mmCIF file of all heavy atoms in Angstrom:
data_model
loop_
_atom_site.group_PDB
_atom_site.id
_atom_site.type_symbol
_atom_site.label_atom_id
_atom_site.label_comp_id
_atom_site.label_asym_id
_atom_site.label_seq_id
_atom_site.Cartn_x
_atom_site.Cartn_y
_atom_site.Cartn_z
ATOM 1 N N ASP A 411 -2.479 15.532 -43.365
ATOM 2 C CA ASP A 411 -1.047 15.403 -43.552
ATOM 3 C C ASP A 411 -0.352 16.772 -43.307
ATOM 4 O O ASP A 411 0.734 16.820 -42.731
ATOM 5 C CB ASP A 411 -0.730 14.941 -44.981
ATOM 6 C CG ASP A 411 -0.988 13.494 -45.148
ATOM 7 O OD1 ASP A 411 -1.238 12.786 -44.115
ATOM 8 O OD2 ASP A 411 -1.006 12.958 -46.318
ATOM 9 N N GLN A 412 -0.972 17.835 -43.836
ATOM 10 C CA GLN A 412 -0.313 19.121 -43.763
ATOM 11 C C GLN A 412 -0.766 19.866 -42.456
ATOM 12 O O GLN A 412 -0.424 21.028 -42.244
ATOM 13 C CB GLN A 412 -0.723 19.935 -44.976
ATOM 14 C CG GLN A 412 -0.208 19.394 -46.259
ATOM 15 C CD GLN A 412 -0.577 20.210 -47.477
ATOM 16 O OE1 GLN A 412 -0.811 21.406 -47.381
ATOM 17 N NE2 GLN A 412 -0.617 19.559 -48.665
ATOM 18 N N GLN A 413 -1.578 19.173 -41.610
ATOM 19 C CA GLN A 413 -2.026 19.758 -40.337
ATOM 20 C C GLN A 413 -2.775 21.046 -40.593
ATOM 21 O O GLN A 413 -2.700 21.984 -39.708
ATOM 22 C CB GLN A 413 -0.881 19.898 -39.363
ATOM 23 C CG GLN A 413 -0.258 18.598 -38.950
ATOM 24 C CD GLN A 413 -1.085 17.866 -37.880
ATOM 25 O OE1 GLN A 413 -1.145 18.204 -36.719
ATOM 26 N NE2 GLN A 413 -1.801 16.756 -38.293
ATOM 27 N N ILE A 414 -3.507 21.144 -41.683
ATOM 28 C CA ILE A 414 -4.306 22.354 -42.043
ATOM 29 C C ILE A 414 -5.675 22.249 -41.450
ATOM 30 O O ILE A 414 -6.311 23.225 -41.059
ATOM 31 C CB ILE A 414 -4.349 22.548 -43.536
ATOM 32 C CG1 ILE A 414 -2.903 22.900 -44.057
ATOM 33 C CG2 ILE A 414 -5.313 23.601 -43.929
ATOM 34 C CD1 ILE A 414 -2.863 22.914 -45.597
ATOM 35 N N GLY A 415 -6.157 21.020 -41.376
ATOM 36 C CA GLY A 415 -7.523 20.799 -40.879
ATOM 37 C C GLY A 415 -7.879 19.312 -40.795
ATOM 38 O O GLY A 415 -7.220 18.467 -41.421
ATOM 39 N N PHE A 416 -8.926 18.993 -39.995
ATOM 40 C CA PHE A 416 -9.444 17.677 -40.039
ATOM 41 C C PHE A 416 -10.903 17.792 -40.505
ATOM 42 O O PHE A 416 -11.767 18.289 -39.772
ATOM 43 C CB PHE A 416 -9.400 17.043 -38.587
ATOM 44 C CG PHE A 416 -9.827 15.579 -38.668
ATOM 45 C CD1 PHE A 416 -9.395 14.712 -39.584
ATOM 46 C CD2 PHE A 416 -10.725 15.152 -37.656
ATOM 47 C CE1 PHE A 416 -9.843 13.315 -39.582
ATOM 48 C CE2 PHE A 416 -11.182 13.785 -37.681
ATOM 49 C CZ PHE A 416 -10.724 12.926 -38.618
ATOM 50 N N VAL A 417 -11.096 17.388 -41.753
ATOM 51 C CA VAL A 417 -12.414 17.519 -42.403
ATOM 52 C C VAL A 417 -12.747 16.202 -42.972
ATOM 53 O O VAL A 417 -11.951 15.600 -43.757
ATOM 54 C CB VAL A 417 -12.343 18.598 -43.513
ATOM 55 C CG1 VAL A 417 -13.665 18.683 -44.184
ATOM 56 C CG2 VAL A 417 -11.926 19.942 -42.936
ATOM 57 N N THR A 418 -13.867 15.643 -42.646
ATOM 58 C CA THR A 418 -14.297 14.367 -43.194
ATOM 59 C C THR A 418 -15.578 14.514 -44.073
ATOM 60 O O THR A 418 -16.350 15.405 -43.814
ATOM 61 C CB THR A 418 -14.599 13.296 -42.080
ATOM 62 O OG1 THR A 418 -15.486 13.920 -41.081
ATOM 63 C CG2 THR A 418 -13.349 12.892 -41.398
ATOM 64 N N PRO A 419 -15.649 13.737 -45.092
ATOM 65 C CA PRO A 419 -16.864 13.840 -45.941
ATOM 66 C C PRO A 419 -18.042 13.177 -45.242
ATOM 67 O O PRO A 419 -17.909 12.487 -44.282
ATOM 68 C CB PRO A 419 -16.510 13.085 -47.207
ATOM 69 C CG PRO A 419 -15.406 12.190 -46.842
ATOM 70 C CD PRO A 419 -14.735 12.791 -45.640
ATOM 71 N N THR A 420 -19.239 13.424 -45.818
ATOM 72 C CA THR A 420 -20.451 12.768 -45.351
ATOM 73 C C THR A 420 -21.229 12.350 -46.613
ATOM 74 O O THR A 420 -20.754 12.624 -47.699
ATOM 75 C CB THR A 420 -21.315 13.626 -44.423
ATOM 76 O OG1 THR A 420 -22.353 12.769 -43.881
ATOM 77 C CG2 THR A 420 -21.900 14.776 -45.088
ATOM 78 N N VAL A 421 -22.368 11.721 -46.384
ATOM 79 C CA VAL A 421 -23.195 11.336 -47.576
ATOM 80 C C VAL A 421 -24.489 12.041 -47.433
ATOM 81 O O VAL A 421 -25.133 12.103 -46.341
ATOM 82 C CB VAL A 421 -23.385 9.818 -47.561
ATOM 83 C CG1 VAL A 421 -24.379 9.413 -48.692
ATOM 84 C CG2 VAL A 421 -22.059 9.101 -47.815
ATOM 85 N N TRP A 422 -24.907 12.683 -48.487
ATOM 86 C CA TRP A 422 -26.177 13.427 -48.547
ATOM 87 C C TRP A 422 -26.949 12.926 -49.768
ATOM 88 O O TRP A 422 -26.473 13.099 -50.868
ATOM 89 C CB TRP A 422 -25.926 14.916 -48.637
ATOM 90 C CG TRP A 422 -27.140 15.748 -48.517
ATOM 91 C CD1 TRP A 422 -27.759 16.427 -49.554
ATOM 92 C CD2 TRP A 422 -27.923 15.963 -47.360
ATOM 93 N NE1 TRP A 422 -28.877 17.049 -49.091
ATOM 94 C CE2 TRP A 422 -29.038 16.813 -47.727
ATOM 95 C CE3 TRP A 422 -27.827 15.591 -46.059
ATOM 96 C CZ2 TRP A 422 -30.007 17.192 -46.777
ATOM 97 C CZ3 TRP A 422 -28.813 15.996 -45.129
ATOM 98 C CH2 TRP A 422 -29.866 16.765 -45.502
ATOM 99 N N GLN A 423 -28.118 12.287 -49.536
ATOM 100 C CA GLN A 423 -28.954 11.719 -50.628
ATOM 101 C C GLN A 423 -28.080 10.889 -51.564
ATOM 102 O O GLN A 423 -28.166 11.059 -52.800
ATOM 103 C CB GLN A 423 -29.532 12.832 -51.404
ATOM 104 C CG GLN A 423 -30.594 13.631 -50.649
ATOM 105 C CD GLN A 423 -31.417 14.419 -51.630
ATOM 106 O OE1 GLN A 423 -31.045 15.532 -52.047
ATOM 107 N NE2 GLN A 423 -32.580 13.891 -51.998
ATOM 108 N N GLY A 424 -27.254 10.015 -51.011
ATOM 109 C CA GLY A 424 -26.484 9.149 -51.839
ATOM 110 C C GLY A 424 -25.197 9.720 -52.363
ATOM 111 O O GLY A 424 -24.399 9.040 -52.967
ATOM 112 N N GLU A 425 -25.008 11.019 -52.196
ATOM 113 C CA GLU A 425 -23.803 11.630 -52.830
ATOM 114 C C GLU A 425 -22.795 11.940 -51.680
ATOM 115 O O GLU A 425 -23.140 12.438 -50.626
ATOM 116 C CB GLU A 425 -24.278 12.984 -53.450
ATOM 117 C CG GLU A 425 -23.139 13.751 -54.029
ATOM 118 C CD GLU A 425 -23.521 15.256 -54.391
ATOM 119 O OE1 GLU A 425 -24.735 15.553 -54.261
ATOM 120 O OE2 GLU A 425 -22.674 15.994 -54.801
ATOM 121 N N THR A 426 -21.538 11.698 -51.973
ATOM 122 C CA THR A 426 -20.523 12.038 -51.034
ATOM 123 C C THR A 426 -20.214 13.539 -51.139
ATOM 124 O O THR A 426 -20.056 14.042 -52.267
ATOM 125 C CB THR A 426 -19.168 11.280 -51.335
ATOM 126 O OG1 THR A 426 -19.424 9.906 -51.242
ATOM 127 C CG2 THR A 426 -18.062 11.658 -50.332
ATOM 128 N N VAL A 427 -20.288 14.261 -49.980
ATOM 129 C CA VAL A 427 -20.086 15.684 -50.011
ATOM 130 C C VAL A 427 -19.171 16.100 -48.870
ATOM 131 O O VAL A 427 -18.892 15.315 -47.998
ATOM 132 C CB VAL A 427 -21.478 16.457 -49.905
ATOM 133 C CG1 VAL A 427 -22.427 16.109 -50.998
ATOM 134 C CG2 VAL A 427 -22.145 16.166 -48.533
ATOM 135 N N GLY A 428 -18.763 17.366 -48.937
ATOM 136 C CA GLY A 428 -17.872 17.906 -47.892
ATOM 137 C C GLY A 428 -18.759 18.401 -46.701
ATOM 138 O O GLY A 428 -19.931 18.798 -46.905
ATOM 139 N N ARG A 429 -18.255 18.374 -45.502
ATOM 140 C CA ARG A 429 -18.982 18.815 -44.345
ATOM 141 C C ARG A 429 -18.083 19.516 -43.328
ATOM 142 O O ARG A 429 -16.991 18.981 -42.997
ATOM 143 C CB ARG A 429 -19.736 17.623 -43.684
ATOM 144 C CG ARG A 429 -20.469 17.905 -42.413
ATOM 145 C CD ARG A 429 -21.102 16.639 -41.843
ATOM 146 N NE ARG A 429 -21.709 16.896 -40.567
ATOM 147 C CZ ARG A 429 -21.078 16.949 -39.401
ATOM 148 N NH1 ARG A 429 -19.753 16.715 -39.344
ATOM 149 N NH2 ARG A 429 -21.673 17.170 -38.295
ATOM 150 N N PHE A 430 -18.501 20.644 -42.885
ATOM 151 C CA PHE A 430 -17.790 21.343 -41.772
ATOM 152 C C PHE A 430 -18.810 21.466 -40.661
ATOM 153 O O PHE A 430 -19.988 21.725 -40.815
ATOM 154 C CB PHE A 430 -17.469 22.812 -42.119
ATOM 155 C CG PHE A 430 -16.482 22.976 -43.254
ATOM 156 C CD1 PHE A 430 -16.718 24.009 -44.190
ATOM 157 C CD2 PHE A 430 -15.363 22.230 -43.342
ATOM 158 C CE1 PHE A 430 -15.881 24.259 -45.227
ATOM 159 C CE2 PHE A 430 -14.443 22.435 -44.383
ATOM 160 C CZ PHE A 430 -14.684 23.459 -45.301
ATOM 161 N N ALA A 431 -18.305 21.212 -39.399
ATOM 162 C CA ALA A 431 -19.136 21.528 -38.200
ATOM 163 C C ALA A 431 -18.340 22.501 -37.393
ATOM 164 O O ALA A 431 -17.121 22.259 -37.009
ATOM 165 C CB ALA A 431 -19.352 20.262 -37.378
ATOM 166 N N PHE A 432 -18.917 23.722 -37.161
ATOM 167 C CA PHE A 432 -18.223 24.795 -36.457
ATOM 168 C C PHE A 432 -18.748 24.840 -35.006
ATOM 169 O O PHE A 432 -19.967 24.974 -34.753
ATOM 170 C CB PHE A 432 -18.476 26.117 -37.101
ATOM 171 C CG PHE A 432 -17.884 26.143 -38.501
ATOM 172 C CD1 PHE A 432 -18.718 26.450 -39.619
ATOM 173 C CD2 PHE A 432 -16.510 25.979 -38.740
ATOM 174 C CE1 PHE A 432 -18.168 26.473 -40.868
ATOM 175 C CE2 PHE A 432 -15.991 26.046 -39.986
ATOM 176 C CZ PHE A 432 -16.848 26.248 -41.108
ATOM 177 N N ILE A 433 -17.837 24.717 -34.003
ATOM 178 C CA ILE A 433 -18.166 24.767 -32.609
ATOM 179 C C ILE A 433 -17.168 25.685 -31.912
ATOM 180 O O ILE A 433 -17.497 26.340 -30.921
ATOM 181 C CB ILE A 433 -18.024 23.351 -31.927
ATOM 182 C CG1 ILE A 433 -19.098 22.393 -32.490
ATOM 183 C CG2 ILE A 433 -18.035 23.434 -30.458
ATOM 184 C CD1 ILE A 433 -20.464 22.534 -31.903
ATOM 185 N N HIS A 434 -15.935 25.590 -32.385
ATOM 186 C CA HIS A 434 -14.798 26.218 -31.745
ATOM 187 C C HIS A 434 -14.801 27.766 -31.985
ATOM 188 O O HIS A 434 -14.700 28.166 -33.150
ATOM 189 C CB HIS A 434 -13.481 25.607 -32.153
ATOM 190 C CG HIS A 434 -12.353 25.729 -31.159
ATOM 191 N ND1 HIS A 434 -11.990 26.954 -30.693
ATOM 192 C CD2 HIS A 434 -11.672 24.823 -30.493
ATOM 193 C CE1 HIS A 434 -11.042 26.770 -29.770
ATOM 194 N NE2 HIS A 434 -10.826 25.462 -29.629
ATOM 195 N N PRO A 435 -14.834 28.581 -30.933
ATOM 196 C CA PRO A 435 -14.880 30.027 -31.128
ATOM 197 C C PRO A 435 -13.565 30.554 -31.793
ATOM 198 O O PRO A 435 -13.499 31.683 -32.269
ATOM 199 C CB PRO A 435 -14.984 30.599 -29.691
ATOM 200 C CG PRO A 435 -15.521 29.496 -28.881
ATOM 201 C CD PRO A 435 -15.003 28.199 -29.458
ATOM 202 N N HIS A 436 -12.521 29.736 -31.752
ATOM 203 C CA HIS A 436 -11.256 30.161 -32.355
ATOM 204 C C HIS A 436 -11.017 29.742 -33.818
ATOM 205 O O HIS A 436 -10.020 30.039 -34.428
ATOM 206 C CB HIS A 436 -10.019 29.738 -31.534
ATOM 207 C CG HIS A 436 -10.032 30.381 -30.140
ATOM 208 N ND1 HIS A 436 -9.223 29.918 -29.123
ATOM 209 C CD2 HIS A 436 -10.714 31.459 -29.676
ATOM 210 C CE1 HIS A 436 -9.485 30.645 -28.023
ATOM 211 N NE2 HIS A 436 -10.326 31.576 -28.307
ATOM 212 N N THR A 437 -12.003 29.086 -34.361
ATOM 213 C CA THR A 437 -11.954 28.711 -35.801
ATOM 214 C C THR A 437 -12.232 30.048 -36.549
ATOM 215 O O THR A 437 -13.118 30.755 -36.247
ATOM 216 C CB THR A 437 -13.024 27.678 -36.147
ATOM 217 O OG1 THR A 437 -12.875 26.573 -35.308
ATOM 218 C CG2 THR A 437 -12.810 27.239 -37.577
ATOM 219 N N THR A 438 -11.331 30.354 -37.529
ATOM 220 C CA THR A 438 -11.487 31.583 -38.290
ATOM 221 C C THR A 438 -11.817 31.331 -39.767
ATOM 222 O O THR A 438 -11.534 30.259 -40.260
ATOM 223 C CB THR A 438 -10.215 32.444 -38.233
ATOM 224 O OG1 THR A 438 -9.144 31.660 -38.887
ATOM 225 C CG2 THR A 438 -9.791 32.745 -36.785
ATOM 226 N N LEU A 439 -12.352 32.373 -40.428
ATOM 227 C CA LEU A 439 -12.618 32.251 -41.856
ATOM 228 C C LEU A 439 -11.285 31.985 -42.596
ATOM 229 O O LEU A 439 -11.241 31.200 -43.508
ATOM 230 C CB LEU A 439 -13.274 33.554 -42.349
ATOM 231 C CG LEU A 439 -13.570 33.564 -43.832
ATOM 232 C CD1 LEU A 439 -14.620 32.468 -44.228
ATOM 233 C CD2 LEU A 439 -14.102 34.945 -44.271
ATOM 234 N N ASP A 440 -10.202 32.623 -42.133
ATOM 235 C CA ASP A 440 -8.883 32.348 -42.763
ATOM 236 C C ASP A 440 -8.508 30.908 -42.741
ATOM 237 O O ASP A 440 -7.924 30.382 -43.720
ATOM 238 C CB ASP A 440 -7.801 33.191 -42.052
ATOM 239 C CG ASP A 440 -7.795 34.678 -42.507
ATOM 240 O OD1 ASP A 440 -8.528 34.920 -43.457
ATOM 241 O OD2 ASP A 440 -7.088 35.424 -41.890
ATOM 242 N N MET A 441 -8.755 30.254 -41.603
ATOM 243 C CA MET A 441 -8.422 28.841 -41.544
ATOM 244 C C MET A 441 -9.182 28.012 -42.568
ATOM 245 O O MET A 441 -8.629 27.130 -43.203
ATOM 246 C CB MET A 441 -8.760 28.281 -40.158
ATOM 247 C CG MET A 441 -7.820 28.688 -38.995
ATOM 248 S SD MET A 441 -8.436 28.008 -37.456
ATOM 249 C CE MET A 441 -7.359 28.842 -36.316
ATOM 250 N N VAL A 442 -10.472 28.362 -42.719
ATOM 251 C CA VAL A 442 -11.291 27.635 -43.670
ATOM 252 C C VAL A 442 -10.923 27.953 -45.083
ATOM 253 O O VAL A 442 -10.830 27.008 -45.944
ATOM 254 C CB VAL A 442 -12.810 27.962 -43.387
ATOM 255 C CG1 VAL A 442 -13.701 27.162 -44.399
ATOM 256 C CG2 VAL A 442 -13.216 27.642 -41.969
ATOM 257 N N VAL A 443 -10.632 29.197 -45.381
ATOM 258 C CA VAL A 443 -10.141 29.517 -46.748
ATOM 259 C C VAL A 443 -8.876 28.830 -47.101
ATOM 260 O O VAL A 443 -8.654 28.340 -48.231
ATOM 261 C CB VAL A 443 -10.012 31.071 -46.898
ATOM 262 C CG1 VAL A 443 -9.373 31.511 -48.154
ATOM 263 C CG2 VAL A 443 -11.378 31.777 -46.759
#
Side-chain angles (χ1 to χ4, degrees):
D411 284 349
Q412 298 178 25
Q413 295 282 286
I414 293 173
F416 184 48
V417 179
T418 49
T420 188
V421 173
W422 186 253
Q423 291 197 278
E425 178 194 355
T426 301
V427 300
R429 176 180 175 278
F430 297 138
F432 298 119
I433 294 281
H434 204 302
H436 295 163
T437 308
T438 62
L439 181 61
D440 280 350
M441 285 177 189
V442 180
V443 170

